[in-house]
Amino acid sequence: MKVLKFGGSSLRDGTSMLRVGEIVAAEKEEKVVVVSAIQGITDSLLRFMSAVRKEEEVQVFVKELRERHLKILAEVASTMPVKQQAVAQLNARLVRLERTLYGITYLEELTPRTKDLVQSFGERMSVIVMSAMLQDMGVNAVPVEADELGIMTDGTFGSATVDMERTRVNAAPSIRDMFKRQEVPVVTGFFGKGPEGVITLLGRNGTDYSASVIANAIDADTLEIWKDVDGFMSADPKVVPGAVPIGYLSYEEAAELAYFGAKVLHPRTVEPARAKSITIRVKNVFKPHVEGSAIRPQGVENAQTVKSISFMSNMTMLKVYGAGLGSRSGVMLEISELLSNANVNIYSAATSQTGISLLIEEGELKRAEKALAGAKRGVIDRIELVKDIALLCLVGEGLGTREGVAAKVFTIVASLGVNIQLISAGASTVALHFTVNGKDLEKTTRTIHQVFFEA
Ligand code: ASP
Ligand code: MG
């Protein structure tokens, strides 16, 4: 059994959809297909909700959505009954969406609950178009909505966590029944329903995560994540022209890379697959016969000390000072709670006697400053900011097990005359993180890559 996931960038227009269709039709195994919204639809739903709208605007917007989907449908499906059924299904979704948008317009109120519900319609529509195309190609595809399938979450709006146990109990029998009827479920990614039955999103690009959850629920052998790139690379080819594709990664390596900068997978994708030892394959829709990257328990077999160098730029270091701050227990906890409640991610932290250094994304700085203003009196004396910091992340099983890799890296960095501010090793046995000034990022990345990959 296989789960195949296709993202919005592979569902752009008729041509790209047909390419996906051929991949699915060629797959003879029992399979579930999981899809994102058609490219740009989630963004346009968000954009529409970001302003107060008039009734006429709702009509125009829904009309545009209908036209975009009907245009693609016409390009990928030609059999009359198939098309008619898809049009009827699309219209039913569009009516519900339109009513919801009128609700927002009349009330001039947008709750997190409604915001999540509205965004779920991108996927609810794409599975219809996708299924129609597949039916036209002779595949017995059936569109399935994640709430109907029983993908259950913890109820957190915007970026919920899936309740794997409940989801398995709900989803596995339905999918098994569909397989018995020789059907191919085409399931909406990106959302599930919370304990009260309310729609909750799994975070931007959450369809990877949905697909992994479904793979876990049905004990799939393989989860294929289809993209428009070759999979994981040893570095970002835009910065390092000599970057090479990575054949194998362990779950830990992939999870680190997904979290730090390499925008190949949604960071939570690895966990459900790992729990069932399911191999994740990242493949390129333009080169279906190329193996891509495989993520599996035995990621180490072609053991390289460093497998990939990724980075995040535009980070800010917050240096938080207060008397005895670094040694007062509970303070670090209070500060990290304040930040996480404000949805600010801390990528690295270091404490000293007088203060704490925290690395966050520049885009979250305003929220972070606001949140820290709420700290208990007397905890924080002042905050200094160091902007334009880049976080480098080296990943490889060898980093935790082989002596001297870190020393080698830092010797290289020092020889470039580059300053390092924060180092964190040991938080993970497969990763080494450190920060440099933004201006030094490219040359540091290139030189490390040269030493480990091009020597
Ligand atoms: N359509 C959603 C997004 O754009 C989910 C996904 O693409 O995976 O974030
Ligand atoms: Mg997307």
Side-chain angles (χ1 to χ4, degrees):
M1 272 185 292
K2 250 188 196 179
V3 174
L4 292 84
K5 180 264 173 176
F6 298 94
S9 58
S10 310
L11 313 171
R12 200 174 320 129
D13 47 24
T15 314
S16 54
M17 271 256 187
L18 287 166
R19 195 174 298 128
V20 166
E22 276 165 30
I23 292 168
V24 175
E27 179 55 68
K28 294 303 169 218
E29 251 183 80
E30 274 180 332
K31 58 194 165 288
V32 177
V33 178
V34 185
V35 293
S36 304
I38 282 166
Q39 187 169 47
I41 297 295
T42 310
D43 285 330
S44 72
L45 291 165
L46 271 169
R47 216 176 309 120
F48 189 79
M49 289 186 286
S50 68
V52 179
R53 303 289 181 178
K54 296 195 195 63
E55 242 183 275
E56 305 80 69
E57 288 178 279
V58 173
Q59 282 162 15
V60 172
F61 178 65
V62 171
K63 183 164 171 271
E64 282 167 8
L65 284 177
R66 175 178 285 112
E67 280 165 5
R68 173 102 192 269
H69 286 83
L70 289 183
K71 180 166 184 283
I72 299 181
L73 178 67
E75 287 165 9
V76 299
S78 52
T79 323
M80 229 13 191
V82 167
K83 250 168 77 175
Q84 273 168 350
Q85 190 191 21
V87 171
Q89 289 167 336
L90 281 173
N91 280 334
R93 304 304 176 286
L94 285 159
V95 166
R96 273 171 60 204
L97 173 62
E98 188 169 27
R99 288 185 185 151
T100 311
L101 295 176
Y102 279 136
I104 300 172
T105 302
Y106 295 144
L107 297 172
E108 288 189 22
E109 181 185 70
L110 180 59
T111 60
R113 170 178 173 160
T114 313
K115 203 172 167 191
D116 279 19
L117 175 65
V118 166
Q119 287 176 79
S120 75
F121 279 92
E123 274 70 11
R124 294 183 198 275
M125 293 190 287
S126 68
V127 291
I128 294 169
V129 179
M130 179 81 158
S131 300
M133 170 182 70
L134 290 170
Q135 286 161 17
D136 231 33
M137 293 175 152
V139 177
N140 193 11
V142 178
V144 177
E145 297 183 312
D147 41 347
E148 162 201 344
L149 186 62
I151 297 200
M152 305 304 291
T153 74
D154 65 357
T156 310
F157 293 114
S159 73
T161 301
V162 170
D163 179 336
M164 205 52 250
E165 298 312 314
R166 293 184 66 197
T167 298
R168 186 174 313 114
V169 171
N170 292 342
S174 323
I175 293 177
R176 228 178 289 126
D177 287 346
M178 293 183 76
F179 284 163
K180 271 194 211 123
R181 297 195 294 267
Q182 315 282 323
E183 292 171 349
V184 176
V186 179
V187 186
T188 56
F190 194 30
F191 67 92
K193 70 182 173 187
E196 272 92 52
V198 173
I199 299 306
T200 44
L201 301 181
L202 305 178
R204 288 311 304 266
N205 303 314
T207 305
D208 291 346
Y209 182 31
S210 306
S212 185
V213 161
I214 292 171
N216 176 307
I218 65 168
D219 283 299
D221 309 299
T222 315
L223 163 61
E224 290 181 353
I225 307 274
W226 288 85
K227 305 191 57 95
D228 50 7
V229 294
D230 280 342
F232 283 96
M233 304 282 288
S234 58
D236 182 346
K238 281 189 225 94
V239 175
V240 181
V244 290
I246 309 176
Y248 298 103
L249 294 101
S250 66
Y251 293 120
E252 289 74 13
E253 290 171 335
E256 283 292 334
L257 276 178
Y259 190 63
F260 287 98
K263 304 232 174 312
V264 175
L265 282 185
H266 182 281
R268 283 161 144 171
T269 312
V270 174
E271 204 33 59
R274 185 215 315 243
K276 291 280 185 79
S277 300
I278 298 164
T279 299
I280 307 174
R281 267 182 202 289
V282 182
K283 292 179 62 101
N284 188 344
V285 287
F286 292 101
K287 306 175 195 166
H289 300 295
V290 172
E291 285 288 313
S293 302
I295 304 160
R296 56 185 200 193
Q298 312 80 4
V300 223
E301 56 195 43
N302 59 344
Q304 242 160 349
T305 46
V306 175
K307 270 204 194 131
S308 184
I309 308 166
S310 60
F311 58 78
M312 293 184 69
S313 40
N314 300 320
M315 313 281 291
T316 294
M317 184 111 64
L318 288 174
K319 293 186 165 182
V320 183
Y321 293 98
L325 204 152
S327 53
R328 263 156 66 190
S329 59
V331 173
M332 186 63 197
L333 187 67
E334 185 188 343
I335 289 182
S336 54
E337 261 174 18
L338 287 171
L339 292 174
S340 88
N341 289 341
N343 270 324
V344 176
N345 269 317
I346 303 171
Y347 286 88
S348 198
T351 54
S352 71
Q353 191 56 27
T354 52
I356 301 177
S357 296
L358 302 164
L359 193 67
I360 64 166
E361 289 176 61
E362 207 141 292
E364 304 191 336
L365 179 58
K366 286 240 154 52
R367 284 214 307 279
E369 288 183 309
K370 215 167 132 195
L372 291 180
K376 279 199 220 77
R377 287 183 54 126
V379 171
I380 297 175
D381 289 342
R382 70 195 152 87
I383 298 176
E384 279 174 19
L385 301 181
V386 189
K387 291 201 181 180
D388 194 20
I389 299 280
L391 176 66
L392 275 102
C393 175
L394 273 60
V395 166
E397 293 283 348
L399 282 169
T401 50
R402 298 219 193 145
E403 307 258 316
V405 181
K408 188 168 164 189
V409 171
F410 295 130
T411 310
I412 301 167
V413 178
S415 73
L416 293 171
V418 166
N419 259 325
I420 291 180
Q421 295 96 352
L422 256 187
I423 300 173
S424 84
S428 152
T429 58
V430 303
L432 173 67
H433 306 150
F434 59 93
T435 60
V436 300
N437 289 323
K439 68 172 175 36
D440 296 326
L441 172 65
E442 299 209 347
K443 77 172 169 199
T444 309
T445 307
R446 272 193 216 113
T447 311
I448 295 176
H449 192 273
Q450 247 164 32
V451 172
F452 284 95
F453 293 91
E454 300 164 58

